[in-house]
């Protein structure tokens, strides 16, 4: 940390001793994993800085925004329309849930056999470690998987800040109507919270900001199709993770700067791995910050991760918002339709996801797919069967794991055998 933030953390009511401990564990893990990589693009320095200031400068910026009357909205899912939060003058933050923190505390409220992501968001809060949860005015949940849906009830008892959007589990005409009404209800909620009427101009501006961010992430994604890959999967994953909490305008500019550098690398045939190194697509449950476990294993075994078919990845930026709207109503319809195109495994059927996995394999020239499910994440664990069938002859490995480091050795052995099989 470049500055002493103790006063700020105290003001947020964080558990200072545990909080400082968490930051040093995070920073050690980060340095061990990231800074030991070779041939990192120079433009990654910005993202290194952001992660080093994850509980410092960014929180300070958010508290400044709050002091100016802006409302802070935290989410755990890509279904929550960022455009509506921004159009109401709010700050949109994807809350951290990617580390094994406070599990014992969390297990006093939720079953042991709950996915690591849910346990983490409960654990972070219960251990008084997350400044984002503390600074949020509203936490928006959703009825995606059963675990989250029920956990939000408990989370609301603890935080008194949770608002839930109903996400249907099918995509027929009635479901589309239900989702549109949920998007409208959320717009009203944001108007109440901010005391501001959401106008079509505000939605246009917000739509432009979020689309520009998605375009920058798409640009990064398509550059990873080059062989040799110009950037490691670890670095690309970090950029995607940071997209959820950084200032969107600055993030877009810095991601485009990174892409400019990567474009040069591609022109020169330079990359982070040898040309012809095994190329892996990772598909499945989201990898919330600071979950770098599987990428570390895969890239530590000589392969390169060329894409994430995940909410911290393609699922978050694949579809742009159609900005051709003239009224608030039209804007809300386009927002509803853009978000309902997300191919989360909580939908049935979810055939778009199978098509999307196949397109990514082709576009990114992946030689194999590792299907990653968090343990107890039933939607993705179940969908692995269909994903494996969908990719046909492409080598496919199913992995189920959590955030602990105990199975690192065993996973490494399995990944190495898989890479050998990929040839
Ligand atoms: S749109 S993937 S971010 S719900 S890992 S809590 S699914 S048991 S996070 Fe997700 Fe939205 Fe879907 Fe994406 Fe449940 Fe699975 Fe846990 Fe999960």
């Amino acid at each position: 940390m470049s500055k002493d933030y103790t006063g700020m953390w105290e003001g947020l009511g964080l558990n200072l001793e545990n909080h400082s401990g968490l930051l040093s564990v995070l920073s050690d893990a980060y340095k061990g994993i990231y800074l030991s990589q070779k041939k990192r693009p120079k433009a990654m320095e910005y993202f290194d800085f952001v992660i080093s200031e994850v509980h410092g400068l960014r929180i300070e910026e958010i508290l400044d925004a709050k002091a100016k009357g802006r409302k802070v909205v935290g989410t755990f899912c890509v279904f929550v329309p960022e455009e509506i939060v921004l159009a109401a003058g709010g700050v949109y933050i994807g809350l951290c849930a990617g580390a094994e923190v406070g599990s014992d505390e969390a297990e006093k409220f939720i079953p042991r056999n709950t996915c690591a992501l849910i346990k983490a968001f409960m654990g972070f809060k219960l251990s008084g470690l997350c400044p984002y949860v503390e600074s949020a005015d509203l936490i928006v949940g959703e009825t995606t998987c059963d675990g989250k849906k029920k956990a939000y009830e408990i989370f609301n008892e603890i935080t008194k800040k949770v608002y839930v959007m109903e996400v249907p589990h099918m995509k027929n005409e009635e479901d589309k109507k239900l989702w549109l009404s949920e998007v409208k209800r959320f717009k009203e909620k944001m108007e109440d919270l901010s005391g501001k009427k959401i106008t079509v101009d505000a939605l246009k501006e917000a739509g432009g900001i979020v689309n520009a961010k998605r375009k920058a992430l798409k640009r990064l994604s398509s550059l990873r199709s080059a062989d040799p890959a110009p950037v490691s999967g670890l670095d690309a994953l970090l950029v995607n993770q940071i997209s959820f909490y950084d200032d969107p305008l600055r993030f877009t500019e810095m991601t485009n700067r990174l892409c400019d550098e990567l474009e040069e690398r591609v022109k020169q045939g330079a990359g982070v791995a040898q040309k012809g190194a095994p190329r892996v697509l990772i598909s499945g449950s989201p990898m919330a910050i600071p979950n770098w476990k599987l990428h570390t294993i895969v890239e530590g075994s000589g392969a390169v991760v060329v894409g994430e078919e995940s909410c911290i990845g393609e699922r978050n930026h694949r579809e742009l918002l159609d900005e051709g709207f003239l009224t608030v109503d039209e804007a809300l319809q386009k927002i509803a339709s853009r978000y309902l195109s997300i191919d989360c495994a909580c939908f049935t059927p979810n055939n778009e996801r199978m098509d999307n996995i196949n397109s990514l394999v082709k576009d990114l020239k992946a030689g194999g797919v590792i299907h990653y499910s968090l343990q107890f994440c039933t939607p993705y664990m179940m969908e692995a069967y269909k994903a494996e069938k969908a990719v046909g002859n492409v080598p496919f490995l199913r992995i189920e794991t959590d955030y602990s480091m105990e199975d690192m050795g065993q996973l490494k052995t399995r990944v190495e055998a898989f890479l050998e099989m990929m040839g």
Side-chain angles (χ1 to χ4, degrees), residues 45-163:
E45 279 173 9
Y46 168 72
F47 301 95
D48 290 342
F49 170 71
V50 175
I51 183 83
S52 73
E53 290 285 344
V54 61
H55 284 187
L57 189 63
R58 185 62 187 134
I59 289 294
E60 197 173 55
E61 285 179 348
I62 288 170
L63 294 180
D64 283 351
K66 255 173 99 84
K68 290 182 185 128
R70 294 181 68 188
K71 297 296 175 188
V72 178
V73 177
T75 79
F76 293 107
C77 180
V78 295
F79 262 98
V80 181
E82 183 171 355
E83 295 85 346
I84 294 181
V85 176
L86 298 190
V91 179
Y92 178 98
I93 299 288
L95 298 166
C96 325
E100 195 177 30
V101 164
S103 301
D104 291 347
E105 278 303 303
E107 283 171 21
K108 290 181 191 156
F109 293 82
I110 54 175
R112 196 154 204 270
N113 292 353
T114 302
C115 93
L117 191 143
I118 297 173
K119 248 190 219 176
F121 76 66
M122 296 289 288
F124 267 105
K125 166 65 194 162
L126 291 165
S127 330
L129 290 173
C130 182
Y132 293 97
V133 170
E134 300 312 327
S135 50
D137 296 290
L138 187 73
I139 295 173
V140 186
E142 14 52 57
T143 57
T144 45
C145 68
D146 286 350
K148 270 183 171 174
K149 188 165 68 187
K150 298 309 289 181
Y152 290 135
E153 292 177 21
I154 304 170
F155 206 51
N156 191 41
E157 278 189 13
I158 303 166
T159 61
K160 312 273 181 253
K161 294 179 183 177
V162 179
Y163 167 92

Side-chain angles (χ1 to χ4, degrees), residues 130 264 297 409:
C130 182
E264 270 313 303
I297 294 172

Side-chain angles (χ1 to χ4, degrees), residues 77-84 140-144 163-187 321 331-342 346-347:
C77 180
V78 295
F79 262 98
V80 181
E82 183 171 355
E83 295 85 346
I84 294 181
V140 186
E142 14 52 57
T143 57
T144 45
Y163 167 92
V164 176
M165 294 184 80
E166 183 169 355
V167 176
H169 288 174
M170 294 177 95
K171 294 184 182 177
N172 58 38
E173 287 314 308
E174 287 308 308
D175 297 311
K176 286 178 189 164
K177 278 188 207 150
L178 164 71
W179 176 239
L180 176 58
S181 71
E182 282 299 278
V183 169
K184 290 182 175 167
R185 191 170 67 92
F186 181 54
K187 175 215 160 230
L321 173 71
L332 296 180
Q333 278 172 27
K334 291 193 185 295
I335 289 173
S337 125
R338 186 267 162 204
Y339 281 83
L340 205 59
S341 71
I342 295 171
C346 68
F347 285 96

